[in-house]
Amino acid sequence: MTNENFIELIDVTKKYKEFTLSNVSFVIPAGSIVGFIGENGAGKSTTMKSIVDLIKFDSGTINVFGKPLKDLTPSEREDIGVVLDEICLPEKLPIKLLQKVFANIFKNWSNEIFSSYLKKFGISEDKKISDLSKGMKAKLNLSIAFSHKSKLLILDEPMNGLDPVARDDVMEILTEFVKDKEHSVLISSHIISDLEKICNHIVIIHDGKIMINEDKKALLSLYDVFSCSTEDANKLDKENLIRIKTIGDSTEILTKKAVFIGENVKPATIEDIMIFMIRGKTL
């Protein structure tokens, strides 16, 4: 199991009138947390909805648990926990009734686990879904995903609306979730600093195409950010300079690691790398 890829995407393409998800390929190994990042409209949700069969892709291959997506049994589909940006439940439904609803849907549903997460997240079973704030609805979505004993979690912006303490709780839960190497997570978030803390692997998508698909530690070992004046930037040797951003008279440059030293140099974060690759200019 530890060498198994829970998900394999091979040249997945989906064409819309004004957007194309183009030849997307990456894998989610067992025991991993893969961060899936990019700006709004880059193709993250289209990719994730394709993986869980909510969108029919036009070409390519998606394998889940070692077999084509279309061949998954109902039991295998239940091993996938999904959290989308919006909660897809009747707003007037009392939370305490969710246990009965999901016990009839999922063979591995656990009322005990569900109640424990509600307690952890401070959600009252006596409330209706409509009574919850956006952040509390996000916590409810996560509680449901964890309560049918999923092996694989597909999480699209699960921390949207959560306060820093709640986000820290979620990161701790996800890290614990994959420790046994029998579970995996694909997670997107605009809070990239959170993903940098917990992910093993980073996939960056832009305009429907994969820009970076790399082990997180390896990616962070590649780049620095060097700051200087625009005038000085124009004098630099371009050989080891990757991307440049200029705001007024100030310039930041994504460079290969250890090209520059001193107080004007800092290690590039995942967020730095994404912004430079998408917004920066080549030299």
Side-chain angles (χ1 to χ4, degrees):
M1 180 77 75
T2 55
N3 293 322
E4 178 184 346
N5 288 327
F6 275 20
I7 300 176
E8 296 173 319
L9 289 91
I10 305 169
D11 294 330
V12 174
T13 296
K14 174 67 178 178
K15 295 182 179 180
Y16 294 99
K17 184 176 181 180
E18 297 181 351
F19 172 79
T20 298
L21 189 73
S22 181
N23 297 315
V24 167
S25 300
F26 61 90
V27 302
I28 314 294
S32 67
I33 302 177
V34 176
F36 193 34
I37 61 178
E39 75 273 40
N40 288 334
K44 300 187 301 296
S45 292
T46 299
T47 302
M48 297 176 107
K49 288 178 179 179
S50 296
I51 292 171
V52 298
D53 217 11
L54 292 177
I55 289 176
K56 299 298 181 183
F57 52 96
D58 297 322
S59 62
T61 302
I62 298 179
N63 296 323
V64 180
F65 303 136
K67 62 168 63 176
L69 178 62
K70 63 182 178 62
D71 293 339
L72 290 181
T73 66
S75 177
E76 287 167 333
R77 289 178 184 272
E78 287 189 21
D79 287 333
I80 306 171
V82 181
V83 173
L84 301 178
D85 191 24
E86 296 295 331
I87 195 165
C88 301
L89 294 168
E91 289 284 309
K92 297 301 180 182
L93 188 69
I95 292 170
K96 60 186 174 184
L97 291 183
L98 287 178
Q99 298 194 29
K100 293 182 179 179
V101 171
F102 286 110
N104 289 322
I105 295 175
F106 297 112
K107 60 179 176 56
N108 288 325
W109 177 263
S110 170
N111 288 336
E112 183 179 356
I113 293 175
F114 185 61
S115 294
S116 70
Y117 277 109
L118 293 182
K119 185 176 180 180
K120 182 178 184 65
F121 289 137
I123 302 173
S124 171
E125 294 186 14
D126 296 326
K127 288 187 175 183
K128 296 180 180 178
I129 294 172
S130 58
D131 295 331
L132 302 180
S133 66
K134 185 172 184 178
M136 296 301 281
K137 287 178 180 177
K139 294 177 184 179
L140 178 61
N141 253 338
L142 286 164
S143 299
I144 293 167
F146 285 122
S147 297
H148 58 91
K149 302 178 182 177
S150 309
K151 293 180 181 178
L152 170 65
L153 294 179
I154 309 294
L155 308 179
D156 189 8
E157 299 291 341
M159 301 189 205
N160 193 4
L162 298 186
D163 60 73
V165 174
R167 294 200 331 261
D168 195 65
D169 282 341
V170 172
M171 288 190 285
E172 183 178 339
I173 291 167
L174 294 178
T175 302
E176 188 65 29
F177 180 74
V178 301
K179 265 188 177 179
D180 62 1
K181 304 298 182 182
E182 299 289 331
H183 299 81
S184 291
V185 178
L186 175 64
I187 178 171
S188 72
S189 178
H190 289 302
I191 309 171
I192 299 174
S193 58
D194 286 349
L195 298 188
E196 188 167 330
K197 293 174 184 176
I198 63 171
C199 290
N200 314 104
H201 198 93
I202 298 293
V203 177
I204 299 178
I205 188 169
H206 172 60
D207 195 25
K209 302 178 182 66
I210 300 299
M211 293 187 72
I212 289 177
N213 178 10
E214 185 65 79
D215 174 84
K216 181 191 70 177
K217 290 183 179 179
L219 183 59
L220 290 173
S221 73
L222 294 177
Y223 304 113
D224 286 327
V225 175
F226 175 65
S227 302
C228 64
S229 69
T230 303
E231 182 181 356
D232 288 341
N234 292 328
K235 300 175 184 177
L236 296 173
D237 181 357
K238 304 297 190 293
E239 181 180 356
N240 294 310
L241 311 184
I242 312 300
R243 293 281 197 281
I244 185 169
K245 293 193 296 118
T246 300
I247 302 176
D249 293 329
S250 178
T251 293
E252 286 191 334
I253 303 170
L254 186 70
T255 74
K256 293 181 180 179
K257 181 67 73 175
V259 171
F260 299 100
I261 58 173
E263 61 182 14
N264 292 337
V265 182
K266 67 171 186 175
T269 65
I270 298 299
E271 184 168 338
D272 288 330
I273 295 168
M274 184 189 82
I275 292 172
F276 270 104
M277 291 299 184
I278 292 174
R279 304 287 296 176
K281 297 179 181 179
T282 55
L283 294 155

